Amino acid sequence: MLMKFTYSCGQKPLDGYEVKRGVGRGGFGEVYFGLSEGGKEVALKVIQSHLEIELRGIQQCLNLKHANLVHLYDIRTDAKGDRWLVMEYVAGESLNTILARHPNGVAPELACQWFQGLAAAIHYLHDHGIVHRDLKPANIFLEAGSVKVGDYGLCKFIGGSQRLGQTQSVGTVHYMAPEISTGNYNRQIDVYAAGVILYEMLSGHVPFEGETAGEILMKHLTSPPDLTKVPGEFRPVLDTALAKNPAQRFQTIAEMGRRVAAVVAKKAEPIEIPIRVLDAAPSLNGKADVLEGIPIGHPPRPRLLELSNSLLLAIILSGVFAFAWTILTQRGDWRTLRQATGTTFFITLLSSAAVLVAAKVWSARQSDESWHRRITLMCLGFCVGIVALWFDGFQLPWPMTEDPNPDALRSVANVGAQAGRGPSFLGGYRDNQTLPPMAAYLSYFGLMFLVLRWWKMAELYRPARFRVGSLIAAVFWAFVLSHLLLESTNGPEAFGIMILTAAVVQLASPWQERPVQRSKRLRLKLA
Amino acid sequence: MNPALKETWKQEPPSQFLLWVDGVGGFLICLENRVTLGQAGGEKSDIGILADISRHHATIQRDPEGYFLEAVRKVTINGQPVEKGFLHSGDRLTLGPSCQFLFTQPVPISASARLEPVSGHRFVQPVGAVIMMADSLVIGPEPAHVVMEDLPKPIILFRNPGGLGIRHDRPMTINGHAFKDRGPLEPGAKVKTEGLALALEIPQARR
């Protein structure tokens, strides 16, 4: 279809402006690209079929300024008496052209971004008492990524060409709110049209299509829009925006813009969940919960790998530390030291492994209550205590009796016969023997596991790989508890095991600097 | 044959001209084999760009093997810094920190290339793209240098000995004179066919 233009390149129908080429034909008439004498690029629109009342509508808009509006510069009259609207020339494409290239719609994030520009422009117009009345993709331009809305102020005159050269009578009925048929309408028609445009951006189709303008108008009046063509999360917004009854639509375009932004923000932001937890339960240790929440995205496989790496590292570290600790704290011959090292090593490894596994399991969860974790750890502590007791029974006679071949039966018997165990490791109990060894061991390890937040030492995003503070806390509690429960002489091992555990857990757990992250929702809030 | 064809471009064709196509856009057509790119306002460059680049930032040379780029200042092709190298259709050419162009040779049988800003930067001339015209320039449905889907048959601008001509399968008028299927072009020519109207303009030196 040839677009016939009255003026051609080089002509100066309007004093001071030179026409370069025809751009298109709007409802009002031809639009040209031209240059002013100074070289300013402008769009020149001939208002061929004008009425004074329409000109007043444009005049009213001449001094509006908004980043998302195509600026109007002036209204001029040429020698023939034709009125010309001199406007900003937008170098980008119209949304109409872009949608023609994307028959299945554009990405929801992009649609949302463009919609925000559109909503801002409409809000500005509404705020200045102007109803656009002719919103359609052909009037919306995208220049360097930002939206420019044009053809405002052309009140009453609703028309124009539809994509792919449909006749003018069909024109913009695709975007016409049902109440236009009654002639009684207000800015709610812009909300409706914005809803149609959002629908079209998301699906590539207008919600109501038909052969004739009458058929389409009838669908606007009676048919509910088919929302199955748009992504599910947008359906509630479109359902409200495309309501037949204007009173049921969004009351302002700004409200609709916020809802659309929220849809995309929600979709793009899995990290939002812990923030909601924080919102919902501010009385909890909220910061900790958020910190816990960050590694949600970890797929299970790396976690398993990380865990096995940590455990391997824990074996080595426990061995080294246990040996060092024994050398530092024990006296005796080589055999004694070897036995003591062995015991310390196994129990340290066991308790470290208990913490590492538990922490790894918890790292997959967004939030758990602290006391719940502590109780779980305490149970693990009981298990460690039982094993320690068993080990102790095993090892009990060695330092004193120098028996090279203790057998299990005797060891178990020794555990049972703790009362008579004078010079043993457990014999270091206070003289008045308030606690039986089983209770002592269980309560020592159980409480040690209960009082500290061990999982914090194994977190991926802890403040530092090794925090002396955590170690000091462990030293403090181990000191207090071992002295309360176990008393003097048995100290070194039980005391040492928990301290070494605190060191091993921290050193063996993977550690990363916390990435600087802010949720999109917060970013939007701040913007 | 039409006698007018012989005297196509009466004098030596200019090194560049503006092509205005109604309903489509404006283009700067460069006829030289070698063009320089640089910041607006410098006389040194054939293609002036309003961007944070040097007065003479790069040169593009059309050889029988293809388009050869020589960087005077920082240039990257598809993100890779280059000093010299051939351009391939679809390459993204970045001059300086941010000024990016899409280089294409949209029509396989034509050596002509199109340079289109994609970073929002503008040429000094009020056009949307630069076309380095080799032997021919195709206007019409894709593939074309100037895409116009509605046009039933492509319009081809071609080089003549000593000038430019236009070929179209339909009747047309050039400056009001009727031609059957081909005709001569000269600066200021206005061509009208049943499908479109276009005009050639010699750019004035602007400031």
Side-chain angles (χ1 to χ4, degrees):
Chain A
M1 190 182 74
L2 172 60
M3 278 191 253
K4 293 258 189 218
F5 290 96
T6 315
Y7 300 100
S8 59
C9 181
Q11 284 188 296
K12 292 184 179 176
L14 193 61
D15 188 36
Y17 295 98
E18 183 182 336
V19 165
K20 290 294 177 189
R21 64 179 179 89
V23 172
R25 189 182 297 272
F28 262 78
E30 296 164 347
V31 185
Y32 295 92
F33 168 72
L35 291 178
S36 77
E37 271 172 6
K40 178 80 177 169
E41 296 174 6
V42 290
L44 300 165
K45 181 180 262 186
V46 200
I47 309 170
Q48 277 155 339
S49 50
H50 68 271
L51 292 166
E52 281 310 308
I53 190 165
E54 288 156 5
L55 278 174
R56 271 212 302 278
I58 301 171
Q59 232 151 17
Q60 202 185 340
C61 297
L62 267 181
N63 293 308
L64 295 183
K65 282 176 193 160
H66 189 271
N68 296 113
L69 288 180
V70 176
H71 287 189
L72 308 182
Y73 297 147
D74 208 354
I75 298 170
R76 301 277 298 272
T77 312
D78 69 9
K80 284 162 46 184
D82 281 336
R83 301 287 193 120
W84 292 72
L85 176 60
V86 186
M87 304 182 290
E88 175 186 4
Y89 173 70
V90 183
E93 291 175 301
S94 76
L95 184 58
N96 204 26
T97 314
I98 293 168
L99 289 176
R101 218 169 37 233
H102 296 91
N104 296 317
V106 299
E109 291 76 15
L110 201 57
C112 173
Q113 192 190 327
W114 291 346
F115 188 83
Q116 295 310 312
L118 175 65
I122 302 171
H123 176 69
Y124 177 87
L125 288 175
H126 288 180
D127 196 38
H128 287 73
I130 291 151
V131 181
H132 191 296
R133 296 163 213 252
D134 195 16
L135 282 172
K136 54 181 175 177
N139 284 341
I140 298 164
F141 302 90
L142 282 143
E143 188 177 46
S146 73
V147 171
K148 295 264 185 184
V149 177
D151 266 359
Y152 49 93
L154 308 183
C155 47
K156 300 269 183 203
F157 198 100
I158 299 173
S161 55
Q162 176 66 13
R163 186 163 72 239
L164 303 176
Q166 284 172 20
T167 56
Q168 191 169 323
S169 62
V170 177
T172 51
V173 292
H174 288 111
Y175 307 93
M176 257 180 211
E179 68 266 26
I180 290 180
S181 59
T182 66
N184 178 22
Y185 54 83
N186 57 16
R187 63 190 187 183
Q188 290 299 313
I189 66 166
D190 286 348
V191 173
Y192 187 88
V196 174
I197 292 166
L198 179 62
Y199 184 104
E200 196 181 0
M201 286 196 288
L202 291 168
S203 70
H205 303 276
V206 287
F208 304 113
E209 283 167 311
E211 295 294 314
T212 64
E215 184 187 343
I216 296 166
L217 282 176
M218 191 49 74
K219 284 183 180 172
H220 278 297
L221 278 166
T222 54
S223 307
D226 175 14
L227 296 178
T228 59
K229 288 177 181 164
V230 298
E233 60 273 21
F234 285 97
R235 285 175 202 155
V237 177
L238 285 172
D239 196 44
T240 312
L242 295 176
K244 305 289 178 209
N245 180 355
Q248 286 168 0
R249 286 178 213 144
F250 294 105
Q251 287 312 293
T252 66
I253 189 77
E255 188 189 343
M256 183 178 176
R258 280 195 295 273
R259 282 284 303 278
V260 172
V263 167
V264 170
K266 209 179 287 173
K267 198 175 151 222
E269 208 51 65
I271 289 170
E272 197 184 28
I273 295 156
I275 289 174
R276 284 185 152 181
V277 170
L278 179 62
D279 289 344
S283 59
L284 286 179
N285 190 343
K287 196 179 164 205
D289 284 338
V290 176
L291 295 181
E292 290 291 319
I294 298 294
I296 298 167
H298 280 217
R301 182 96 186 266
R303 277 222 315 275
L304 213 61
L305 193 74
E306 274 176 20
L307 182 59
S308 58
N309 284 343
S310 301
L311 289 178
L312 271 175
L313 204 57
I315 292 174
I316 298 165
L317 290 169
S318 305
V320 173
F321 289 173
F323 182 69
W325 179 262
T326 313
I327 295 286
L328 284 173
T329 57
Q330 299 262 18
R331 299 279 177 276
D333 63 8
W334 171 239
R335 177 181 292 271
T336 318
L337 289 183
R338 202 181 67 191
Q339 294 294 344
T341 303
T343 310
T344 313
F345 164 66
F346 276 115
I347 310 289
T348 305
L349 180 60
L350 185 71
S351 55
S352 304
V355 172
L356 287 172
V357 172
K360 199 48 88 175
V361 170
W362 288 330
S363 78
R365 305 198 192 155
Q366 303 154 19
S367 63
D368 256 337
E369 296 192 33
S370 177
W371 63 264
H372 183 242
R373 294 188 171 188
R374 285 170 190 259
I375 299 291
T376 312
L377 277 174
M378 188 177 74
C379 295
L380 288 170
F382 289 153
C383 300
V384 173
I386 287 168
V387 176
L389 193 66
W390 184 61
F391 256 85
D392 199 29
F394 235 154
Q395 168 254 12
L396 172 70
W398 301 346
M400 288 313 178
T401 62
E402 304 285 343
D403 184 349
N405 288 312
D407 61 46
L409 269 174
R410 231 186 85 205
S411 307
V412 171
N414 275 338
V415 170
Q418 33 83 19
R421 201 188 287 146
S424 74
F425 173 56
L426 279 179
Y429 268 70
R430 45 180 126 167
D431 299 335
N432 54 354
Q433 192 77 341
T434 48
L435 276 175
M438 188 159 192
Y441 266 42
L442 289 190
S443 50
Y444 172 71
F445 283 103
L447 285 171
M448 270 313 290
F449 273 75
L450 176 77
V451 291
L452 292 174
R453 287 184 297 176
W454 291 92
W455 64 91
K456 291 264 162 207
M457 300 185 197
E459 264 173 8
L460 182 63
Y461 297 112
R462 56 191 186 276
R465 176 176 274 276
F466 189 86
R467 265 184 302 169
V468 181
S470 306
L471 193 70
I472 290 174
V475 169
F476 170 78
W477 283 109
F479 183 83
V480 168
L481 290 174
S482 68
H483 276 257
L484 270 177
L485 300 165
L486 302 173
E487 280 300 322
S488 50
T489 50
N490 66 326
E493 278 189 2
F495 174 63
I497 282 164
M498 290 320 294
I499 295 164
L500 296 188
T501 302
V504 169
V505 166
Q506 292 195 65
L507 290 172
S509 296
W511 173 73
Q512 266 179 30
E513 193 112 23
R514 168 175 296 281
V516 179
Q517 225 164 2
R518 187 190 278 165
S519 87
K520 193 178 236 174
R521 204 175 81 168
L522 283 179
R523 263 184 272 139
L524 285 172
K525 254 184 209 166
L526 293 172
Chain B
M1 188 160 268
N2 197 315
L5 202 57
K6 279 184 188 156
E7 36 161 339
T8 21
W9 211 296
K10 289 185 182 83
Q11 68 271 37
E12 192 66 8
S15 62
Q16 50 181 229
F17 62 91
L18 299 174
L19 174 69
W20 301 104
V21 186
D22 274 3
V24 180
F27 304 87
L28 177 68
I29 315 294
C30 295
L31 294 170
E32 305 277 285
N33 283 333
R34 183 182 171 88
V35 295
T36 55
L37 287 82
Q39 194 182 43
E43 275 84 63
K44 284 178 180 175
S45 56
D46 300 319
I47 301 173
I49 305 154
L50 295 155
D52 182 17
I53 58 173
S54 187
R55 289 284 173 95
H56 178 190
H57 202 94
T59 304
I60 296 177
Q61 166 99 33
R62 181 171 50 235
D63 290 336
E65 302 90 71
Y67 285 84
F68 190 73
L69 176 109
E70 287 171 67
V72 180
R73 297 292 164 86
K74 188 187 160 217
V75 176
T76 65
I77 298 178
N78 300 326
Q80 299 297 315
V82 288
E83 286 189 5
K84 286 178 179 183
F86 279 102
L87 290 169
H88 303 281
S89 190
D91 277 354
R92 288 191 177 244
L93 186 68
T94 310
L95 308 186
S98 63
C99 177
Q100 193 175 75
F101 296 93
L102 177 64
F103 174 88
T104 49
Q105 285 178 270
V107 184
I109 55 162
S110 166
S112 300
R114 185 180 153 122
L115 208 54
E116 189 177 353
V118 288
S119 52
H121 290 85
R122 305 290 318 264
F123 295 112
V124 176
Q125 302 295 346
V127 294
V130 167
I131 296 171
M132 286 183 72
M133 179 174 162
D135 44 357
S136 59
L137 193 159
V138 182
I139 305 167
E142 283 186 280
H145 301 103
V146 174
V147 176
M148 192 177 184
E149 292 294 344
D150 299 343
L151 206 61
K153 291 269 185 174
I155 291 175
I156 296 163
L157 271 56
F158 59 94
R159 283 184 196 250
N160 255 352
L164 284 182
I166 185 167
R167 193 166 67 228
H168 188 36
D169 229 2
R170 302 284 161 94
M172 59 190 156
T173 64
I174 303 175
N175 288 344
H177 303 291
F179 290 87
K180 212 174 107 211
D181 56 355
R182 56 177 61 199
L185 286 178
E186 59 189 27
K190 288 179 189 170
V191 181
K192 282 187 181 162
T193 77
E194 66 183 57
L196 100 174
L198 55 85
L200 272 62
E201 184 196 1
I202 304 294
Q204 298 120 20
R206 295 177 67 195
R207 290 166 299 283

